[in-house]
Amino acid sequence: MKALLIIPTYNEIKNIGRIIPAALGQAPELEILVMDDNSPDGTAAEVARIMESEPRVHLISRPGKMGLGSAYVSGFKYALANGYDYILEMDADFSHNPNDIPRLLEAARKYDLVIGSRYCQGVNIVNWPFKRLLISYFASKYVRAITGMPVKDPTGGFKCFNRRVLEAINLDRILSDGYAFQIEMNFRAWVKGFRVHEVPIVFTERIDGVSKMSRRIVWEAVWMVWRLQIMKLLGKIK
Ligand SMILES: Nc1nc2c(ncn2[C@@H]2O[C@H](COP(=O)(O)OP(=O)(O)OP(=O)(O)O)[C@@H](O)[C@H]2O)c(=O)[nH]1
Ligand SMILES: [Mg+2]
């Protein structure tokens, strides 16, 4: 069984050197692909240094900040081309706890898409301002109300795909980039009839490094769910 953990990075120099060993320690068969967008802080150089002694780490450097969604799409294509069976997503900033990786992989034996969920056992978020928590929580309700997709945490970025799912989805047709990207991947997998499952995780606000959250990313998600649902009704997503 080959598993690839994709970590997108933009200016994560304070986290990358710690998150890589923390993740590699979770499973002997796990490899890592860092998707870096030419971080000005030298994140890619740090990854290259780690790679000198760690063959389980891979790096793709893009010329500039091109967005989270397209970073994942490039990573997915790399994973498919290189024969990985399970493809995981995780942030670099320790918001996702690497210790949860084995539970995601375990569930991925039975399900096609496993989502680490902040909202499947109450609300599991540490250190978020109340306003941000409210937006995220009601966003998840909103997505469900519009699309009917039975996922409690549709915007989360800690998940594990079986390669079957990524093979079935036309990755060149993905429309969205920020939080909407996570929604869209879940939606397309669910519409195709794949088994989607959530496992509870605790999400912790980043301690080091700078957030790339923006209003644009939130608004993209607000209208994207309508676009996705309308495309489904028109038979353009099936
Ligand atoms: N390659 C690449 N990675 C990105 C880009 N934008 C964000 N990332 C990475 O994607 C992950 C999630 O981004 P964050 O900035 O943590 O976004 P967030 O979790 O919504 O917000 P905070 O945790 O508050 O910072 C982190 O590992 C980022 O470094 C991008 O344009 N390109
Ligand atoms: Mg984060």
Side-chain angles (χ1 to χ4, degrees):
M1 186 209 71
K2 279 181 76 177
L4 184 71
L5 173 69
I6 304 174
I7 307 180
T9 55
Y10 192 75
N11 285 346
E12 299 288 0
I13 192 79
K14 292 198 171 137
N15 295 308
I16 196 69
R18 290 182 294 126
I19 197 91
I20 288 176
L24 287 177
Q26 300 301 324
E29 67 278 20
L30 187 68
E31 297 182 28
I32 292 178
L33 171 65
V34 177
M35 288 292 315
D36 185 70
D37 278 359
N38 200 14
S39 299
D41 71 355
T43 301
E46 175 66 10
V47 176
R49 197 187 57 73
I50 296 170
M51 286 166 70
E52 287 171 13
S53 58
E54 184 45 84
R56 289 157 67 199
V57 178
H58 313 276
L59 170 67
I60 295 180
S61 293
R62 302 195 300 176
K65 191 169 187 322
M66 289 153 76
L68 189 64
S70 76
Y72 271 124
V73 166
S74 301
F76 293 160
K77 288 180 178 173
Y78 175 95
L80 293 178
N82 288 282
Y84 292 94
D85 306 300
Y86 298 101
I87 297 95
L88 298 101
E89 299 182 1
M90 187 177 80
D91 290 355
D93 59 3
F94 284 94
S95 284
H96 303 140
N97 186 343
N99 296 339
D100 290 330
I101 291 171
R103 281 195 301 125
L104 291 190
L105 280 171
E106 180 63 33
R109 292 170 192 274
K110 280 192 272 172
Y111 299 95
D112 302 308
L113 168 56
V114 178
I115 302 170
S117 178
R118 297 165 289 189
Y119 306 125
C120 73
Q121 279 181 1
V123 175
N124 289 318
I125 296 187
V126 179
N127 280 349
W128 256 10
F130 189 61
K131 187 176 152 206
R132 186 160 179 197
L133 198 151
L134 276 183
I135 292 173
S136 171
Y137 184 75
F138 284 102
S140 66
K141 299 264 179 213
Y142 168 84
V143 173
R144 190 169 185 156
I146 311 277
T147 64
M149 178 168 66
V151 171
K152 293 199 170 104
D153 188 357
T155 59
F158 194 17
K159 48 217 257 195
C160 181
F161 295 89
N162 190 295
R163 70 174 284 128
R164 282 192 297 271
V165 178
L166 300 182
E167 280 167 345
I169 292 174
N170 186 339
L171 296 172
D172 294 320
R173 293 246 175 99
I174 300 296
L175 301 164
S176 36
D177 213 47
Y179 295 132
F181 174 77
Q182 306 297 355
I183 299 169
E184 180 169 357
M185 289 302 297
N186 297 338
F187 185 75
R188 289 182 184 269
W190 170 67
V191 168
K192 286 191 181 293
F194 286 111
R195 290 160 305 165
V196 181
H197 181 67
E198 289 177 273
V199 297
I201 57 151
V202 175
F203 180 100
T204 310
E205 172 61 331
R206 67 160 70 237
I207 294 168
D208 280 315
V210 184
S211 175
K212 287 109 216 162
M213 237 283 266
S214 69
R215 260 168 220 269
R216 190 189 64 77
I217 282 174
V218 176
W219 282 110
E220 180 195 33
V222 170
W223 65 266
M224 187 60 75
V225 287
W226 287 100
R227 185 161 171 197
L228 291 171
Q229 180 64 9
I230 290 165
M231 285 173 72
K232 180 186 164 206
L233 294 174
L234 294 175
K236 291 190 174 159
I237 294 181
K238 44 180 183 270

